Amino acid sequence: MAFRRRAKSHPLFSQEFLIHNHADVGFCLVLCVLVALMFEVTAKTAFLFILPQYNVSVPTADGEIVLYHYGLKDLVTILFYIFIAIILHAVVQEYALDKINRRLHLSKIKHSKFNESGQLVAFHIASMAWCLYVLATEGYLSNPKSLWENYPHVHLPFQVKFFYLCQLSYWLHSLPELYFQKVRKEEIPRQLQYISLYLVHISGAYLLNLTRLGLILLLLQYVAEFLFHMARLFYFTDENNEKLFNAWAVVFVVSRLFTLTLSVLVIGFGLARVENQAFDPEKGNFNTLLFRMCVLLLVCFSQAWMMWRFIHFQLRRWREYWNEQSTRKKAAAAAAATHGKQQLKTIKRESGYHENGVVKAENGTSPRTKKIKSP
């Protein structure tokens, strides 16, 4: 009991220490793994954290190539890159977002949303470039049939597996960041929703050997999300700047249509024509009618939910826009009426006014009547 009391009172175990120094703690753990590479005794264990595991040499016409498949040791690698993501998150926050926030003087609500969008813009830029590079070098874009031919795609190139491990690491690191960044309680359910959606879809594509289709769907999703968060950043700097929201709306709808079309084409038609249609988890084959139906239902449900959120967001924007326009019209009408009254008073003062049937001057006295001389 005494040890527990001392531990709770110790600064290393305090809440404030973890919130303000979690990146430093992560950096120390990463540094320990890197130092372990220098010693022969601990080098093998350190490689479990840094490099993807389960490599297999596959003979080809040009020689042997090294491919990878997934396993439980991937969890160790994901854990290491979670700490890497925490460190990069802190670097972007401290050296970019905090400096911009000091100049903008945003409110607490806008400050939180600005930080969220800033972090996601940096992540989406890196992910889009990396994903596009993988798709181009592996030839998945030039040969669409490769998305379903020779399924299951158990053996992955190094860059494909490493990409998926880093994606899972980033979205898993977002969960403790909700605590470290002191996100408001009202914002936590919304952020948990999209973090969970990303984790389910990325891990599903990785574990069900649909990595090639998953790469293209992730690229479509990241393009739309990048435009949305860029639009939010510009909106926070200037509330009259809403042009990017219109561009995002078009790209969002197009990406939803492409996602549904490509999913139906690959899963509904492509995998249905593959000869090997048997449920064999040991070989990584899940190509059955039930499997295809479940995956398509999951994709359709997620896309429908996102479209519903999109329509709700657009209706709210239009409602706010028309309310603002009506308020401006009322204010303009009131200003015009006030200006008209002021002009009317000015005219009355210049020409005098009537009181009890007698024209009075500006100072309130009756004008003298002109005397007519008698002849």
Side-chain angles (χ1 to χ4, degrees):
M1 292 295 292
F3 172 76
R4 290 182 180 178
R5 290 172 186 169
R6 283 197 295 269
K8 289 182 180 179
S9 61
H10 196 277
L12 288 176
F13 295 89
S14 65
Q15 180 182 8
E16 290 297 323
F17 178 84
L18 289 175
I19 290 174
H20 296 292
N21 302 283
H22 63 280
D24 296 333
V25 174
F27 178 77
C28 291
L29 294 174
V30 170
L31 190 61
C32 290
V33 175
L34 296 177
V35 170
L37 290 173
M38 302 171 62
F39 303 98
E40 187 177 355
V41 178
T42 56
K44 291 183 179 180
T45 305
F47 277 120
L48 290 175
F49 290 89
I50 298 173
L51 295 177
Q53 303 300 309
Y54 304 104
N55 54 324
V56 178
S57 297
V58 179
T60 61
D62 300 329
E64 288 188 351
I65 58 172
V66 178
L67 299 176
Y68 296 82
H69 61 90
Y70 62 79
L72 289 176
K73 292 181 181 179
D74 291 341
L75 297 175
V76 180
T77 311
I78 290 173
L79 178 63
F80 175 77
Y81 286 99
I82 285 175
F83 291 112
I84 296 290
I86 289 174
I87 295 170
L88 294 177
H89 188 112
V91 169
V92 173
Q93 184 67 42
E94 183 174 355
Y95 293 100
L97 299 179
D98 286 346
K99 292 182 178 180
I100 299 173
N101 275 320
R102 293 190 194 101
R103 296 181 181 180
L104 296 178
H105 304 290
L106 299 174
S107 62
K108 288 185 178 180
I109 297 175
K110 289 184 177 181
H111 179 82
S112 176
K113 292 183 177 180
F114 184 88
N115 288 338
E116 177 193 357
S117 293
Q119 292 287 347
L120 289 174
V121 162
F123 169 71
H124 288 322
I125 288 177
S127 296
M128 284 190 301
W130 191 2
C131 189
L132 190 61
Y133 174 79
V134 172
L135 288 171
T137 53
E138 295 297 331
Y140 300 150
L141 291 177
S142 59
N143 184 19
K145 289 184 179 180
S146 63
L147 298 178
W148 63 81
E149 284 183 343
N150 301 322
Y151 180 85
H153 307 134
V154 178
H155 296 126
L156 307 174
F158 172 82
Q159 58 182 353
V160 175
K161 177 166 182 173
F162 191 56
F163 174 82
Y164 271 92
L165 293 180
C166 290
Q167 292 293 311
L168 290 171
S169 301
Y170 180 85
W171 291 111
L172 285 172
H173 112 280
S174 300
L175 296 174
E177 285 293 344
L178 297 177
Y179 172 76
F180 294 139
Q181 296 295 324
K182 295 183 179 180
V183 177
R184 297 185 306 118
K185 292 182 179 179
E186 297 81 4
E187 291 289 323
I188 289 178
R190 180 186 62 82
Q191 295 193 28
L192 282 177
Q193 285 177 355
Y194 72 75
I195 291 172
S196 302
L197 276 175
Y198 276 115
L199 287 174
V200 169
H201 284 76
I202 294 172
S203 58
Y206 184 64
L207 297 175
L208 298 176
N209 299 313
L210 293 170
T211 50
R212 300 179 183 182
L213 174 64
L215 285 171
I216 298 179
L217 298 185
L218 270 179
L219 180 61
L220 292 172
Q221 176 65 19
Y222 285 163
V223 169
E225 288 297 301
F226 168 75
L227 284 176
F228 172 72
H229 290 289
M230 280 296 295
R232 277 219 303 190
L233 291 179
F234 280 107
Y235 176 76
F236 290 141
T237 55
D238 183 9
E239 293 188 356
N240 296 321
N241 194 347
E242 296 187 358
K243 293 181 180 180
L244 267 180
F245 279 113
N246 299 328
W248 162 73
V250 175
V251 173
F252 182 88
V253 174
V254 171
S255 63
R256 300 286 72 77
L257 293 175
F258 268 98
T259 298
L260 287 173
T261 305
L262 192 61
S263 300
V264 172
L265 177 65
V266 174
I267 299 171
F269 293 97
L271 292 181
R273 295 180 180 180
V274 176
E275 295 180 359
N276 189 7
Q277 296 191 20
F279 183 74
D280 192 356
E282 292 183 359
K283 294 183 179 179
N285 190 1
F286 303 94
N287 190 14
T288 61
L289 179 61
L290 180 62
F291 159 76
R292 295 194 298 269
M293 291 295 295
C294 290
V295 172
L296 279 177
L297 285 175
L298 177 62
V299 173
C300 293
F301 174 77
S302 62
Q303 299 306 306
W305 180 79
M306 293 171 71
M307 279 300 300
W308 180 82
R309 292 289 302 270
F310 171 77
I311 293 170
H312 179 72
F313 174 78
Q314 291 296 331
L315 290 175
R316 187 181 64 187
R317 276 189 64 213
W318 290 337
R319 197 181 303 116
E320 291 176 354
Y321 173 77
W322 289 115
N323 289 337
E324 184 180 354
Q325 291 296 319
S326 62
T327 304
R328 287 181 179 178
K329 288 180 180 179
K330 289 179 181 178
T338 306
H339 183 66
K341 289 180 180 179
Q342 290 177 351
Q343 285 184 341
L344 186 60
K345 288 181 179 178
T346 306
I347 293 171
K348 286 182 177 180
R349 287 175 182 173
E350 290 177 354
S351 60
Y353 63 95
H354 292 77
E355 184 177 322
N356 295 328
V358 179
V359 179
K360 297 223 171 180
E362 186 179 356
N363 57 4
T365 60
S366 300
R368 293 183 178 178
T369 56
K370 187 177 180 180
K371 292 183 178 181
I372 301 174
K373 294 182 180 180
S374 57

